[in-house]
Amino acid sequence: MPLHIDLLTDPTGAQLHDWYQVLAAALGHDLPGDPVPSPEDVYAQLATPSAYSRKLLWLARNTAGAPVGTAALRLFDEPGRTHLASLELYSHPAHRRLGAGSRLLGTAVGAARDDGRRSLITRTTVGTPGDRFLATRAFTPVLKLTWRRLRFDSMDAAAIGAAAAEPHPGYRLESWEGVAPDALVDAFALARQSMDDMPTGGMDLGHVPWTAERVRSVAEVFAKRGEQLITVAAISEADGSVAGYTELVVPADSGGRALQHDTAVVPRHRGHGLGRWMKASMIQRVAAGQPAVTEIETDNADDNRHMVAINAGLGFVPVRQTVEYQLSLTE
């Protein structure tokens, strides 16, 4: 199929509209029943610079001028990740199997190689056309994730309240929105390193040390996109350190769904039930303080048995699986 592929260096309103048409059609087709992000959310994601990375955007059209595919390549620029790129690629379901996906993939892979990257990662939902598309290329599946959902109208509020109220001698909970308080930001940055031992399936993600500056920069990106970043942290009474934390993001136009991000406990504080305590407290906080939110969605690596058990115990139910794929750019 003859195509015209544009690199969107400064997307116009019309180009953003066409981008959204492809994305909404692809998500509506591949994930029926799931809320599609609003145009405003998508535009904010595309237009807001990310901390420590930059994006290249391509929009593909057919000869009639109809938008048929999009590709967003993220190039990580901070030390420890300059080898890495990630890709989001969507094809309009009415124009699939005509070469648009392959052309966009080739364009993005070539740009990543030209920028000196050695690894490209991407994600797709199991059983969708995207999964079958990547399985026939040189990508390697490296990590399977199960997505789970907790609906507030069917959750066991009494059980979650009991979990949030359980005593944890030697610890207290603190919570905040946006950037961590100045008094905790350094300790929070140290605790963020606890995610270093999460299952990654051998993905070539590199290593980036967390600092107070990085904590603030990442939080500010969420704010610029109009999203609410909420954190609940367990604080050690013994020394005031952050023993663990859980984060959740409410999109600017959530469609009723909040997204659970990282949950981690510092190794020397594990075994005290802090993960379950923090997550139960987060659920209570969001259910009571975010009337537009009706459900929380999260994902776990299938071999992260401890967090899988916590989520199952709090009432999260599996809804789909995704696979992280990796492509070596040095071969």
Side-chain angles (χ1 to χ4, degrees):
M1 177 179 66
L3 290 175
H4 184 72
I5 297 177
D6 289 319
L7 175 64
L8 308 185
T9 54
D10 187 15
T12 66
Q15 288 171 330
L16 289 173
H17 175 268
D18 287 346
W19 183 290
Y20 182 76
Q21 297 308 306
V22 173
L23 176 68
L27 292 178
H29 179 272
D30 297 343
L31 300 174
D34 269 24
V36 175
S38 70
E40 292 74 20
D41 277 353
V42 174
Y43 300 161
Q45 290 277 346
L46 295 175
T48 305
S50 298
Y52 308 108
S53 67
R54 52 198 161 89
K55 280 185 178 179
L56 298 178
L57 308 175
W58 293 274
L59 176 66
R61 301 177 186 276
N62 63 16
T63 53
V68 298
T70 66
L73 181 71
R74 184 178 180 187
L75 301 166
F76 296 89
D77 288 332
E78 57 191 328
R81 282 195 176 173
T82 56
H83 68 285
L84 183 65
S86 67
L87 177 65
E88 291 186 20
L89 190 152
Y90 292 99
S91 293
H92 196 294
H95 301 280
R96 287 176 176 166
R97 304 185 68 82
L98 296 174
S102 296
R103 285 278 306 278
L104 284 167
L105 177 61
T107 299
V109 168
R113 281 201 174 102
D114 289 345
D115 204 66
R117 308 295 158 146
R118 71 167 184 260
S119 293
L120 176 68
I121 57 174
T122 190
R123 172 185 291 179
T124 188
T125 300
V126 172
T128 63
D131 190 25
R132 294 187 287 273
F133 174 81
L134 291 174
T136 61
R137 270 69 182 177
F139 284 84
T140 300
V142 289
L143 183 67
K144 183 173 286 187
L145 301 166
T146 297
W147 290 73
R148 292 173 168 82
R149 191 177 299 160
L150 176 71
R151 292 186 54 87
F152 292 167
D153 61 3
S154 58
M155 70 180 183
D156 188 339
I160 289 172
E166 286 178 1
H168 290 76
Y171 299 96
R172 70 177 190 276
L173 291 180
E174 298 272 358
S175 62
W176 61 84
E177 293 187 16
V179 180
D182 289 343
L184 286 174
V185 67
D186 289 313
F188 182 55
L190 286 175
R192 293 298 304 251
Q193 302 293 347
S194 300
M195 289 298 291
D196 285 352
D197 63 355
M198 69 176 181
T200 62
M203 282 190 292
D204 187 12
L205 297 178
H207 172 74
V208 178
W210 281 89
T211 63
E213 177 186 3
R214 190 168 192 263
V215 166
R216 293 188 176 104
S217 296
V218 171
E220 287 165 1
V221 170
F222 287 108
K224 289 176 181 176
R225 295 198 300 235
E227 299 169 334
Q228 281 183 279
L229 173 64
I230 303 171
T231 306
V232 173
I235 310 299
S236 170
E237 299 279 17
D239 57 12
S241 65
V242 175
Y245 67 92
T246 186
E247 292 180 314
L248 179 141
V249 172
V250 180
D253 182 2
S254 68
R257 177 178 298 169
L259 302 176
Q260 178 78 58
H261 283 218
D262 294 346
T263 299
V265 176
V266 175
R268 64 190 176 92
H269 293 286
R270 291 172 183 170
H272 300 288
L274 300 183
R276 182 170 178 267
W277 185 35
M278 294 185 299
K279 293 201 75 165
S281 299
M282 176 69 85
I283 294 166
Q284 271 199 324
R285 176 186 171 120
V286 173
Q290 301 285 336
V293 175
T294 59
E295 61 187 29
I296 297 174
E297 192 166 270
T298 189
D299 67 280
N300 302 113
D302 288 357
D303 56 355
N304 189 353
R305 295 179 181 176
H306 180 67
M307 193 54 63
V308 168
I310 289 175
N311 285 331
L314 292 172
F316 285 83
V317 297
V319 291
R320 66 180 179 278
Q321 288 187 313
T322 58
V323 178
E324 301 280 351
Y325 280 89
Q326 181 168 277
L327 176 68
S328 173
L329 301 177
T330 60
E331 298 175 357

